[in-house]
Amino acid sequence: MKALRLHLKQATANYRREETVKCRMTYPLPPYSTVIGALHKACGYTEYHPMQLSIQGKYGSLIKRVFKEDCFLNSLQDDRGILVKMSNPDMLSSAYQVVATAQKAQGNSFDKGITINVENQKLLEEYRYLNRLAKHISKNKNVIKKYKDKLKALKANPESTKEEIKAFQDKVKRIESAYKKYEEVKYTIPKSHFRTLTKAPKYYELLCDVELVIHIVSDEKTMQDIIDNICNLTAIGRGEDFVEVLECVETELTCGDIRKRSDKEFGMYIPLDLLEDRKKAKLEGVRDKLVYYGTKYLLPKEYNVQSIKGGYRKRVFNRIPVYYSERLVVKKQVDGIYFDENEDKSYFVCLA
């Protein structure tokens, strides 16, 4: 079976585990989705190209770093955090202006000016004007309700003609449409520029001296595209986790009765379904009453985009249960486990 072998190095890397918040923990190796995303970006793909991957490698040390995180709350709060005005309400970024800062954890009020530090008086007055306008708009909604009540009474009156009901119904629709337009232009859009921001110190883990060996199996065109665009592979993980490409070559994977043990230099991701038959492949077992298996992870690979409420979309990943281990023992042929043997180095290849 033909495959591509990438040999990469990174000075530092964080392959973030998405479930971690206060301390952004890292996987020991990049998950499948991270590598697939980096390869697709390097090739300029805008649609998913199916591929199977085997990921293995090692790192020198793991350290922690402190950073200050900007966190935008899901809703605008009047009594806490930092009131800011966004340059673009559709994008959460550092392009904002600080309006005012709350002095206490709770009990403040930007609207009433209680225990706050004002940074921009003009923008604060704009925020307060919008709050007053919201009360005025609520009165307009009561007017619309009265018109709708009159329409119901008109429909219930047996003496009302169809022409009268139709004319009054059209009038109610025009009034309601005018009020909605007024609310959107004068209140909804301007208010969406204001957000509540909080800042807090957090941590992230950082792998140092990372070395990766990645095997890729796909169609011939995709593998050729990767070879042609390997110079565009600049980072894996964060944007600043730069990659040094040591090798990008085609190789031939062998299968059959391998009967080998991993050399324990590199840890690797081993899909659990490849270890279902322990007579064929397993992780090394008990030694000195301690169990030397591996660490289980549920790694993301490809995803589908699904629509959710509010007109938003989310990615739903296909997740693959794997072991991260250095202790693979193969006794017989297993579909999905191959061997890449060359003059310099030999590798197990566990495709997922």
Side-chain angles (χ1 to χ4, degrees), residues 334-347:
V334 180
D335 291 337
I337 298 181
Y338 300 88
F339 199 67
D340 177 16
E341 190 166 12
N342 59 80
E343 297 178 358
D344 300 327
K345 182 73 176 173
S346 299
Y347 306 98

Side-chain angles (χ1 to χ4, degrees), residues 132-148:
R132 294 194 300 270
L133 185 60
K135 297 176 182 178
H136 176 68
I137 289 173
S138 65
K139 293 180 181 179
N140 294 342
K141 291 180 179 179
N142 292 332
V143 173
I144 296 172
K145 185 177 182 302
K146 289 180 181 179
Y147 273 102
K148 288 185 176 180

Side-chain angles (χ1 to χ4, degrees), residues 9-26:
K9 278 193 175 182
Q10 293 179 275
T12 59
N14 175 277
Y15 314 121
R16 184 181 175 185
R17 295 174 58 176
E18 61 271 29
E19 74 274 12
T20 60
V21 180
K22 289 187 177 180
C23 179
R24 294 183 177 178
M25 299 174 68
T26 179

Side-chain angles (χ1 to χ4, degrees), residues 77-140:
Q77 303 291 323
D78 183 63
D79 65 338
R80 68 196 69 183
I82 303 170
L83 180 65
V84 300
K85 184 177 181 182
M86 308 299 299
S87 299
N88 184 351
D90 298 324
M91 182 182 297
L92 299 181
S93 68
S94 57
Y96 58 78
Q97 293 177 277
V98 177
V99 180
T101 306
Q103 294 180 358
K104 300 188 298 183
Q106 290 181 339
N108 317 282
S109 176
F110 297 116
D111 191 25
K112 298 177 181 178
I114 301 174
T115 58
I116 62 171
N117 292 326
V118 179
E119 304 289 342
N120 192 316
Q121 186 65 41
K122 183 179 179 180
L123 294 181
L124 183 60
E125 291 300 326
E126 180 183 346
Y127 169 79
R128 290 170 176 172
Y129 166 76
L130 292 172
N131 288 341
R132 294 194 300 270
L133 185 60
K135 297 176 182 178
H136 176 68
I137 289 173
S138 65
K139 293 180 181 179
N140 294 342

